[in-house]
Amino acid sequence: MMSINIAIDGPAGAGKSTIAKKVAEKLSFIYVDTGAMYRAMALYMIRNKINPRDTHLVTEACESVHVAIRYEGGEQKVVLNQEDVTGLIRGEEVGNAASAVARYTAVREKLTNLQQDLAMQQNVVMDGRDIGTAVLPDAQIKIYLTASVHTRANRRYQELVKKGMNPDIHVIEQDIKDRDFQDINRENAPLLKATDAVLLDSSEMSVDEVVNTILKIYKERCS
Ligand code: DC
């Protein structure tokens, strides 16, 4: 039987993972966070002192990197060369390095293959930057989830404050702008709304409103 695939793309901080996780839970689908795979790749480069902006070195190193996904109690775990690195990849340094290594063909090919294999075997909600355009061009549902830079920066700011940190909103906003620029302007599978994707701007929507909109589209098309 053919699996059902829901692709959710959008810029950093648009709320993709929160939304994708909830939709997956409601439909009993597997949630696949592809950003985590790029982050694991970036962690490898950082640990091995490989400049994530050096095409040659990253391409060569990529051959020694094995990224895998495993599920424990419904939670995605990212495994880098046999080591569970799930708790080590969420920081800004790794996120920025992930955006840098994600430009290279060798990295994208490796991770795209893994993502396509996962989606072929089961029903998935997969989030990233190029899922609807490059990884799963035949996905039954494609969502492009965005929000204003200000909203996205503010959400990230609130998250960090909740963790007891004292962040600078201007630094966060600039970081988001830089990452958007890099993800949109790269040559390989850039961040782009697929022509057949539904555009959802979550700036003025609650999480539940976005989730319910996607579930409604699912009901209309797939059930
Ligand atoms: O979604 P995230 O912040 O965890 O992603 C980290 C970086 O990985 C992002 O800035 C660009 C890259 N990425 C990508 O190029 N393609 C994807 N499908 C997912 C992430």
Side-chain angles (χ1 to χ4, degrees):
M1 204 180 67
M2 209 172 87
S3 58
I4 299 178
N5 297 160
I6 301 180
I8 303 184
D9 289 303
K16 298 184 298 294
S17 61
T18 307
I19 302 292
K21 244 186 231 169
K22 289 202 175 222
V23 172
E25 210 176 278
K26 291 267 183 198
L27 298 175
S28 302
F29 282 18
I30 301 284
Y31 163 54
V32 184
D33 169 5
T34 63
M37 300 176 188
Y38 287 93
R39 284 171 182 265
M41 189 64 91
L43 180 66
Y44 179 90
M45 303 301 159
I46 293 170
R47 279 178 168 176
N48 289 282
K49 309 222 176 331
I50 294 164
N51 179 354
R53 292 172 194 284
D54 186 319
T55 322
H56 182 70
L57 289 181
V58 170
T59 301
E60 197 177 80
C62 190
E63 285 179 26
S64 323
V65 185
H66 184 258
V67 175
I69 292 296
R70 168 171 98 213
Y71 289 87
E72 270 172 31
E75 288 287 311
Q76 174 182 290
K77 302 283 173 197
V78 190
V79 182
L80 170 64
N81 294 341
Q82 320 291 338
E83 177 193 355
D84 180 351
V85 294
T86 315
L88 306 174
I89 55 174
R90 297 310 341 163
E92 299 304 317
E93 187 197 3
V94 178
N96 291 334
S99 177
V101 300
R103 291 175 301 163
Y104 303 124
T105 309
V107 172
R108 299 209 74 83
E109 269 179 11
K110 191 159 197 159
L111 298 182
T112 298
N113 287 340
L114 169 62
Q115 293 154 15
Q116 288 173 335
D117 282 350
L118 286 167
M120 207 154 42
Q121 292 162 18
Q122 60 228 314
N123 297 336
V124 297
V125 180
M126 186 177 284
D127 77 4
R129 304 291 189 286
D130 61 337
I131 311 305
T133 52
V135 179
L136 305 175
D138 297 325
Q140 290 86 344
I141 297 174
K142 297 180 187 178
I143 305 292
Y144 189 86
L145 184 66
T146 190
S148 68
V149 171
H150 185 70
T151 305
R152 291 187 277 135
N154 201 35
R155 285 179 188 158
R156 181 79 187 129
Y157 174 82
Q158 301 296 346
E159 246 173 59
L160 295 174
V161 168
K162 254 193 222 155
K163 284 185 187 160
M165 292 155 101
N166 184 20
D168 179 337
I169 183 91
H170 301 293
V171 172
I172 297 178
E173 199 159 319
Q174 191 54 49
D175 212 47
I176 284 183
K177 282 185 189 161
D178 291 347
R179 193 112 79 82
D180 282 358
F181 183 86
Q182 184 155 265
D183 292 345
I184 290 167
N185 291 292
R186 68 175 178 229
E187 243 170 71
N188 276 329
L191 168 63
L192 181 72
K193 176 187 167 300
T195 47
D196 53 349
V198 176
L199 174 71
L200 291 180
D201 185 331
S202 72
S203 306
E204 305 291 332
M205 289 171 90
S206 69
V207 168
D208 282 347
E209 278 172 327
V210 177
V211 169
N212 288 334
T213 305
I214 299 174
L215 292 175
K216 192 162 163 265
I217 297 171
Y218 171 80
K219 272 198 194 118
E220 286 163 6
R221 294 193 194 170
C222 304
S223 64

mmCIF file of all heavy atoms in Angstrom, residues 60-103:
data_model
loop_
_atom_site.group_PDB
_atom_site.id
_atom_site.type_symbol
_atom_site.label_atom_id
_atom_site.label_comp_id
_atom_site.label_asym_id
_atom_site.label_seq_id
_atom_site.Cartn_x
_atom_site.Cartn_y
_atom_site.Cartn_z
ATOM 1 N N GLU A 60 34.269 15.743 1.495
ATOM 2 C CA GLU A 60 35.118 14.602 1.820
ATOM 3 C C GLU A 60 34.684 13.966 3.158
ATOM 4 O O GLU A 60 34.529 12.753 3.264
ATOM 5 C CB GLU A 60 36.563 15.098 1.922
ATOM 6 C CG GLU A 60 37.597 14.023 1.843
ATOM 7 C CD GLU A 60 38.981 14.650 1.870
ATOM 8 O OE1 GLU A 60 39.440 15.003 2.980
ATOM 9 O OE2 GLU A 60 39.571 14.810 0.796
ATOM 10 N N ALA A 61 34.438 14.838 4.156
ATOM 11 C CA ALA A 61 34.077 14.347 5.499
ATOM 12 C C ALA A 61 32.741 13.624 5.488
ATOM 13 O O ALA A 61 32.510 12.669 6.240
ATOM 14 C CB ALA A 61 34.023 15.521 6.467
ATOM 15 N N CYS A 62 31.874 14.082 4.612
ATOM 16 C CA CYS A 62 30.515 13.545 4.517
ATOM 17 C C CYS A 62 30.507 12.015 4.352
ATOM 18 O O CYS A 62 29.628 11.325 4.838
ATOM 19 C CB CYS A 62 29.888 14.233 3.303
ATOM 20 S SG CYS A 62 28.170 13.957 3.126
ATOM 21 N N GLU A 63 31.570 11.504 3.717
ATOM 22 C CA GLU A 63 31.651 10.051 3.495
ATOM 23 C C GLU A 63 31.814 9.276 4.792
ATOM 24 O O GLU A 63 31.460 8.108 4.883
ATOM 25 C CB GLU A 63 32.814 9.736 2.553
ATOM 26 C CG GLU A 63 32.471 10.100 1.127
ATOM 27 C CD GLU A 63 33.618 9.827 0.175
ATOM 28 O OE1 GLU A 63 34.451 8.965 0.468
ATOM 29 O OE2 GLU A 63 33.656 10.509 -0.863
ATOM 30 N N SER A 64 32.376 9.935 5.800
ATOM 31 C CA SER A 64 32.594 9.246 7.086
ATOM 32 C C SER A 64 31.415 9.426 8.040
ATOM 33 O O SER A 64 31.489 9.008 9.195
ATOM 34 C CB SER A 64 33.826 9.786 7.793
ATOM 35 O OG SER A 64 34.828 10.094 6.900
ATOM 36 N N VAL A 65 30.395 10.105 7.586
ATOM 37 C CA VAL A 65 29.277 10.387 8.491
ATOM 38 C C VAL A 65 28.110 9.469 8.193
ATOM 39 O O VAL A 65 27.658 9.361 7.050
ATOM 40 C CB VAL A 65 28.791 11.852 8.339
ATOM 41 C CG1 VAL A 65 27.729 12.178 9.364
ATOM 42 C CG2 VAL A 65 29.956 12.814 8.449
ATOM 43 N N HIS A 66 27.635 8.821 9.260
ATOM 44 C CA HIS A 66 26.436 8.010 9.097
ATOM 45 C C HIS A 66 25.366 8.573 10.010
ATOM 46 O O HIS A 66 25.506 8.585 11.233
ATOM 47 C CB HIS A 66 26.732 6.537 9.431
ATOM 48 C CG HIS A 66 25.564 5.651 9.181
ATOM 49 N ND1 HIS A 66 24.751 5.177 10.187
ATOM 50 C CD2 HIS A 66 25.031 5.201 8.024
ATOM 51 C CE1 HIS A 66 23.781 4.466 9.656
ATOM 52 N NE2 HIS A 66 23.926 4.461 8.343
ATOM 53 N N VAL A 67 24.301 9.089 9.391
ATOM 54 C CA VAL A 67 23.201 9.640 10.185
ATOM 55 C C VAL A 67 22.034 8.662 10.088
ATOM 56 O O VAL A 67 21.732 8.155 9.007
ATOM 57 C CB VAL A 67 22.776 11.033 9.645
ATOM 58 C CG1 VAL A 67 21.556 11.555 10.388
ATOM 59 C CG2 VAL A 67 23.917 12.024 9.754
ATOM 60 N N ALA A 68 21.423 8.373 11.223
ATOM 61 C CA ALA A 68 20.246 7.484 11.212
ATOM 62 C C ALA A 68 19.196 8.048 12.155
ATOM 63 O O ALA A 68 19.489 8.909 12.996
ATOM 64 C CB ALA A 68 20.651 6.082 11.647
ATOM 65 N N ILE A 69 17.988 7.559 11.991
ATOM 66 C CA ILE A 69 16.870 8.005 12.817
ATOM 67 C C ILE A 69 16.302 6.781 13.510
ATOM 68 O O ILE A 69 16.202 5.717 12.907
ATOM 69 C CB ILE A 69 15.779 8.610 11.897
ATOM 70 C CG1 ILE A 69 16.278 9.907 11.262
ATOM 71 C CG2 ILE A 69 14.468 8.820 12.608
ATOM 72 C CD1 ILE A 69 16.552 10.997 12.235
ATOM 73 N N ARG A 70 15.941 6.958 14.778
ATOM 74 C CA ARG A 70 15.343 5.853 15.511
ATOM 75 C C ARG A 70 14.226 6.447 16.355
ATOM 76 O O ARG A 70 14.224 7.647 16.640
ATOM 77 C CB ARG A 70 16.507 5.338 16.312
ATOM 78 C CG ARG A 70 16.444 4.489 17.301
ATOM 79 C CD ARG A 70 17.625 3.869 17.930
ATOM 80 N NE ARG A 70 17.960 4.593 19.146
ATOM 81 C CZ ARG A 70 19.169 4.741 19.581
ATOM 82 N NH1 ARG A 70 20.178 4.265 18.912
ATOM 83 N NH2 ARG A 70 19.389 5.385 20.700
ATOM 84 N N TYR A 71 13.258 5.642 16.699
ATOM 85 C CA TYR A 71 12.137 6.162 17.490
ATOM 86 C C TYR A 71 12.091 5.470 18.843
ATOM 87 O O TYR A 71 12.169 4.250 18.919
ATOM 88 C CB TYR A 71 10.826 5.993 16.718
ATOM 89 C CG TYR A 71 10.787 6.944 15.547
ATOM 90 C CD1 TYR A 71 11.330 6.591 14.319
ATOM 91 C CD2 TYR A 71 10.305 8.238 15.694
ATOM 92 C CE1 TYR A 71 11.375 7.487 13.259
ATOM 93 C CE2 TYR A 71 10.334 9.146 14.644
ATOM 94 C CZ TYR A 71 10.874 8.757 13.436
ATOM 95 O OH TYR A 71 10.928 9.661 12.403
ATOM 96 N N GLU A 72 11.984 6.265 19.900
ATOM 97 C CA GLU A 72 11.882 5.711 21.261
ATOM 98 C C GLU A 72 10.675 6.341 21.911
ATOM 99 O O GLU A 72 10.647 7.566 22.078
ATOM 100 C CB GLU A 72 13.138 6.064 22.067
ATOM 101 C CG GLU A 72 14.227 5.034 21.947
ATOM 102 C CD GLU A 72 15.520 5.507 22.607
ATOM 103 O OE1 GLU A 72 15.462 6.260 23.589
ATOM 104 O OE2 GLU A 72 16.580 5.110 22.099
ATOM 105 N N GLY A 73 9.675 5.526 22.240
ATOM 106 C CA GLY A 73 8.453 6.055 22.838
ATOM 107 C C GLY A 73 7.822 7.128 21.964
ATOM 108 O O GLY A 73 7.337 8.134 22.472
ATOM 109 N N GLY A 74 7.882 6.957 20.665
ATOM 110 C CA GLY A 74 7.271 7.900 19.731
ATOM 111 C C GLY A 74 8.136 9.123 19.446
ATOM 112 O O GLY A 74 7.812 9.932 18.592
ATOM 113 N N GLU A 75 9.264 9.267 20.140
ATOM 114 C CA GLU A 75 10.142 10.435 19.941
ATOM 115 C C GLU A 75 11.254 10.101 18.957
ATOM 116 O O GLU A 75 11.868 9.038 19.054
ATOM 117 C CB GLU A 75 10.806 10.830 21.269
ATOM 118 C CG GLU A 75 9.881 11.473 22.274
ATOM 119 C CD GLU A 75 9.498 12.905 21.897
ATOM 120 O OE1 GLU A 75 10.392 13.694 21.572
ATOM 121 O OE2 GLU A 75 8.283 13.205 21.924
ATOM 122 N N GLN A 76 11.519 11.045 18.033
ATOM 123 C CA GLN A 76 12.610 10.837 17.089
ATOM 124 C C GLN A 76 13.965 11.031 17.777
ATOM 125 O O GLN A 76 14.187 12.017 18.461
ATOM 126 C CB GLN A 76 12.484 11.833 15.927
ATOM 127 C CG GLN A 76 13.667 11.771 14.965
ATOM 128 C CD GLN A 76 13.576 12.780 13.829
ATOM 129 O OE1 GLN A 76 12.756 12.663 12.941
ATOM 130 N NE2 GLN A 76 14.441 13.772 13.838
ATOM 131 N N LYS A 77 14.850 10.081 17.577
ATOM 132 C CA LYS A 77 16.227 10.210 18.071
ATOM 133 C C LYS A 77 17.143 10.264 16.855
ATOM 134 O O LYS A 77 16.949 9.502 15.902
ATOM 135 C CB LYS A 77 16.637 9.003 18.922
ATOM 136 C CG LYS A 77 15.738 8.781 20.119
ATOM 137 C CD LYS A 77 16.042 9.762 21.213
ATOM 138 C CE LYS A 77 15.043 9.655 22.340
ATOM 139 N NZ LYS A 77 15.052 10.822 23.203
ATOM 140 N N VAL A 78 18.130 11.148 16.902
ATOM 141 C CA VAL A 78 19.060 11.258 15.781
ATOM 142 C C VAL A 78 20.371 10.613 16.186
ATOM 143 O O VAL A 78 20.940 10.953 17.230
ATOM 144 C CB VAL A 78 19.339 12.733 15.423
ATOM 145 C CG1 VAL A 78 20.111 12.826 14.119
ATOM 146 C CG2 VAL A 78 18.043 13.483 15.316
ATOM 147 N N VAL A 79 20.816 9.683 15.347
ATOM 148 C CA VAL A 79 22.015 8.923 15.682
ATOM 149 C C VAL A 79 23.128 9.296 14.697
ATOM 150 O O VAL A 79 22.949 9.192 13.484
ATOM 151 C CB VAL A 79 21.706 7.407 15.627
ATOM 152 C CG1 VAL A 79 22.932 6.592 16.020
ATOM 153 C CG2 VAL A 79 20.514 7.073 16.514
ATOM 154 N N LEU A 80 24.251 9.752 15.257
ATOM 155 C CA LEU A 80 25.400 10.143 14.442
ATOM 156 C C LEU A 80 26.511 9.124 14.694
ATOM 157 O O LEU A 80 27.007 9.020 15.823
ATOM 158 C CB LEU A 80 25.853 11.556 14.858
ATOM 159 C CG LEU A 80 27.180 12.063 14.306
ATOM 160 C CD1 LEU A 80 27.143 12.205 12.784
ATOM 161 C CD2 LEU A 80 27.541 13.392 14.957
ATOM 162 N N ASN A 81 26.867 8.372 13.663
ATOM 163 C CA ASN A 81 27.887 7.318 13.816
ATOM 164 C C ASN A 81 27.699 6.538 15.121
ATOM 165 O O ASN A 81 28.597 6.493 15.973
ATOM 166 C CB ASN A 81 29.298 7.919 13.730
ATOM 167 C CG ASN A 81 29.578 8.464 12.339
ATOM 168 O OD1 ASN A 81 28.901 8.112 11.362
ATOM 169 N ND2 ASN A 81 30.552 9.332 12.219
ATOM 170 N N GLN A 82 26.532 5.960 15.288
ATOM 171 C CA GLN A 82 26.166 5.094 16.441
ATOM 172 C C GLN A 82 25.876 5.841 17.746
ATOM 173 O O GLN A 82 25.519 5.230 18.735
ATOM 174 C CB GLN A 82 27.236 4.020 16.763
ATOM 175 C CG GLN A 82 27.908 3.348 15.602
ATOM 176 C CD GLN A 82 26.969 2.450 14.832
ATOM 177 O OE1 GLN A 82 25.961 2.012 15.341
ATOM 178 N NE2 GLN A 82 27.300 2.208 13.575
ATOM 179 N N GLU A 83 26.066 7.170 17.770
ATOM 180 C CA GLU A 83 25.868 7.909 19.037
ATOM 181 C C GLU A 83 24.565 8.713 18.970
ATOM 182 O O GLU A 83 24.321 9.424 17.985
ATOM 183 C CB GLU A 83 27.059 8.868 19.231
ATOM 184 C CG GLU A 83 26.930 9.733 20.478
ATOM 185 C CD GLU A 83 27.954 10.885 20.489
ATOM 186 O OE1 GLU A 83 28.819 10.948 19.585
ATOM 187 O OE2 GLU A 83 27.841 11.733 21.397
ATOM 188 N N ASP A 84 23.753 8.592 20.003
ATOM 189 C CA ASP A 84 22.520 9.380 20.058
ATOM 190 C C ASP A 84 22.894 10.836 20.373
ATOM 191 O O ASP A 84 23.362 11.129 21.471
ATOM 192 C CB ASP A 84 21.599 8.814 21.155
ATOM 193 C CG ASP A 84 20.292 9.586 21.260
ATOM 194 O OD1 ASP A 84 20.163 10.650 20.612
ATOM 195 O OD2 ASP A 84 19.397 9.125 21.996
ATOM 196 N N VAL A 85 22.697 11.728 19.397
ATOM 197 C CA VAL A 85 23.105 13.131 19.588
ATOM 198 C C VAL A 85 21.896 14.063 19.707
ATOM 199 O O VAL A 85 22.035 15.286 19.630
ATOM 200 C CB VAL A 85 24.037 13.615 18.432
ATOM 201 C CG1 VAL A 85 25.356 12.874 18.452
ATOM 202 C CG2 VAL A 85 23.353 13.496 17.070
ATOM 203 N N THR A 86 20.726 13.478 19.914
ATOM 204 C CA THR A 86 19.480 14.257 19.947
ATOM 205 C C THR A 86 19.570 15.486 20.861
ATOM 206 O O THR A 86 19.097 16.555 20.497
ATOM 207 C CB THR A 86 18.312 13.356 20.408
ATOM 208 O OG1 THR A 86 18.423 12.121 19.712
ATOM 209 C CG2 THR A 86 16.967 13.989 20.126
ATOM 210 N N GLY A 87 20.205 15.314 22.020
ATOM 211 C CA GLY A 87 20.252 16.412 22.990
ATOM 212 C C GLY A 87 21.369 17.419 22.715
ATOM 213 O O GLY A 87 21.501 18.401 23.441
ATOM 214 N N LEU A 88 22.159 17.187 21.664
ATOM 215 C CA LEU A 88 23.353 18.030 21.466
ATOM 216 C C LEU A 88 23.264 18.946 20.246
ATOM 217 O O LEU A 88 24.231 19.616 19.900
ATOM 218 C CB LEU A 88 24.586 17.122 21.292
ATOM 219 C CG LEU A 88 24.844 16.092 22.379
ATOM 220 C CD1 LEU A 88 26.006 15.182 21.997
ATOM 221 C CD2 LEU A 88 25.154 16.804 23.695
ATOM 222 N N ILE A 89 22.111 18.966 19.593
ATOM 223 C CA ILE A 89 22.069 19.637 18.283
ATOM 224 C C ILE A 89 21.153 20.861 18.226
ATOM 225 O O ILE A 89 20.945 21.420 17.161
ATOM 226 C CB ILE A 89 21.632 18.634 17.175
ATOM 227 C CG1 ILE A 89 20.294 17.977 17.541
ATOM 228 C CG2 ILE A 89 22.718 17.606 16.929
ATOM 229 C CD1 ILE A 89 19.720 17.096 16.434
ATOM 230 N N ARG A 90 20.584 21.263 19.363
ATOM 231 C CA ARG A 90 19.570 22.320 19.287
ATOM 232 C C ARG A 90 20.118 23.743 19.326
ATOM 233 O O ARG A 90 19.385 24.686 19.034
ATOM 234 C CB ARG A 90 18.519 22.165 20.403
ATOM 235 C CG ARG A 90 17.671 20.925 20.422
ATOM 236 C CD ARG A 90 16.941 20.418 19.213
ATOM 237 N NE ARG A 90 16.644 21.222 18.066
ATOM 238 C CZ ARG A 90 16.295 20.723 16.885
ATOM 239 N NH1 ARG A 90 16.209 19.440 16.677
ATOM 240 N NH2 ARG A 90 16.036 21.501 15.884
ATOM 241 N N GLY A 91 21.379 23.922 19.685
ATOM 242 C CA GLY A 91 21.932 25.274 19.861
ATOM 243 C C GLY A 91 22.075 26.056 18.560
ATOM 244 O O GLY A 91 22.008 25.493 17.470
ATOM 245 N N GLU A 92 22.274 27.382 18.712
ATOM 246 C CA GLU A 92 22.389 28.279 17.545
ATOM 247 C C GLU A 92 23.621 27.944 16.698
ATOM 248 O O GLU A 92 23.574 28.001 15.473
ATOM 249 C CB GLU A 92 22.489 29.744 17.972
ATOM 250 C CG GLU A 92 21.287 30.276 18.756
ATOM 251 C CD GLU A 92 19.966 30.115 18.025
ATOM 252 O OE1 GLU A 92 19.915 30.370 16.814
ATOM 253 O OE2 GLU A 92 18.980 29.716 18.670
ATOM 254 N N GLU A 93 24.726 27.584 17.377
ATOM 255 C CA GLU A 93 25.963 27.315 16.630
ATOM 256 C C GLU A 93 25.747 26.150 15.665
ATOM 257 O O GLU A 93 26.115 26.203 14.488
ATOM 258 C CB GLU A 93 27.099 26.971 17.615
ATOM 259 C CG GLU A 93 28.434 26.838 16.930
ATOM 260 C CD GLU A 93 29.502 26.110 17.749
ATOM 261 O OE1 GLU A 93 29.214 25.638 18.868
ATOM 262 O OE2 GLU A 93 30.619 25.993 17.238
ATOM 263 N N VAL A 94 25.097 25.111 16.164
ATOM 264 C CA VAL A 94 24.847 23.932 15.324
ATOM 265 C C VAL A 94 23.832 24.295 14.221
ATOM 266 O O VAL A 94 23.979 23.890 13.069
ATOM 267 C CB VAL A 94 24.349 22.732 16.170
ATOM 268 C CG1 VAL A 94 24.040 21.533 15.286
ATOM 269 C CG2 VAL A 94 25.383 22.354 17.213
ATOM 270 N N GLY A 95 22.816 25.091 14.570
ATOM 271 C CA GLY A 95 21.803 25.493 13.576
ATOM 272 C C GLY A 95 22.428 26.275 12.428
ATOM 273 O O GLY A 95 22.138 26.020 11.255
ATOM 274 N N ASN A 96 23.321 27.194 12.756
ATOM 275 C CA ASN A 96 23.961 27.991 11.710
ATOM 276 C C ASN A 96 24.897 27.139 10.854
ATOM 277 O O ASN A 96 24.945 27.283 9.636
ATOM 278 C CB ASN A 96 24.725 29.168 12.327
ATOM 279 C CG ASN A 96 23.764 30.184 12.911
ATOM 280 O OD1 ASN A 96 22.617 30.297 12.474
ATOM 281 N ND2 ASN A 96 24.196 30.911 13.921
ATOM 282 N N ALA A 97 25.617 26.219 11.514
ATOM 283 C CA ALA A 97 26.515 25.327 10.759
ATOM 284 C C ALA A 97 25.689 24.387 9.879
ATOM 285 O O ALA A 97 26.087 24.054 8.762
ATOM 286 C CB ALA A 97 27.399 24.535 11.713
ATOM 287 N N ALA A 98 24.505 23.991 10.369
ATOM 288 C CA ALA A 98 23.625 23.108 9.576
ATOM 289 C C ALA A 98 23.193 23.819 8.303
ATOM 290 O O ALA A 98 23.194 23.243 7.207
ATOM 291 C CB ALA A 98 22.405 22.701 10.402
ATOM 292 N N SER A 99 22.853 25.084 8.441
ATOM 293 C CA SER A 99 22.442 25.862 7.280
ATOM 294 C C SER A 99 23.599 25.966 6.279
ATOM 295 O O SER A 99 23.396 25.932 5.071
ATOM 296 C CB SER A 99 21.980 27.250 7.760
ATOM 297 O OG SER A 99 21.646 28.063 6.677
ATOM 298 N N ALA A 100 24.837 26.056 6.796
ATOM 299 C CA ALA A 100 26.015 26.154 5.920
ATOM 300 C C ALA A 100 26.291 24.830 5.201
ATOM 301 O O ALA A 100 26.457 24.802 3.980
ATOM 302 C CB ALA A 100 27.230 26.588 6.733
ATOM 303 N N VAL A 101 26.286 23.711 5.930
ATOM 304 C CA VAL A 101 26.614 22.426 5.268
ATOM 305 C C VAL A 101 25.491 21.960 4.348
ATOM 306 O O VAL A 101 25.719 21.191 3.415
ATOM 307 C CB VAL A 101 26.967 21.285 6.256
ATOM 308 C CG1 VAL A 101 28.168 21.622 7.103
ATOM 309 C CG2 VAL A 101 25.797 20.879 7.125
ATOM 310 N N ALA A 102 24.278 22.469 4.607
ATOM 311 C CA ALA A 102 23.113 22.060 3.807
ATOM 312 C C ALA A 102 23.200 22.550 2.362
ATOM 313 O O ALA A 102 22.397 22.167 1.525
ATOM 314 C CB ALA A 102 21.827 22.585 4.451
ATOM 315 N N ARG A 103 24.194 23.396 2.068
ATOM 316 C CA ARG A 103 24.328 23.902 0.691
ATOM 317 C C ARG A 103 24.972 22.885 -0.238
ATOM 318 O O ARG A 103 24.902 23.012 -1.453
ATOM 319 C CB ARG A 103 25.188 25.173 0.693
ATOM 320 C CG ARG A 103 24.481 26.335 1.350
ATOM 321 C CD ARG A 103 25.397 27.523 1.445
ATOM 322 N NE ARG A 103 26.583 27.170 2.225
ATOM 323 C CZ ARG A 103 27.721 27.866 2.221
ATOM 324 N NH1 ARG A 103 27.830 28.921 1.472
ATOM 325 N NH2 ARG A 103 28.729 27.483 2.967
#
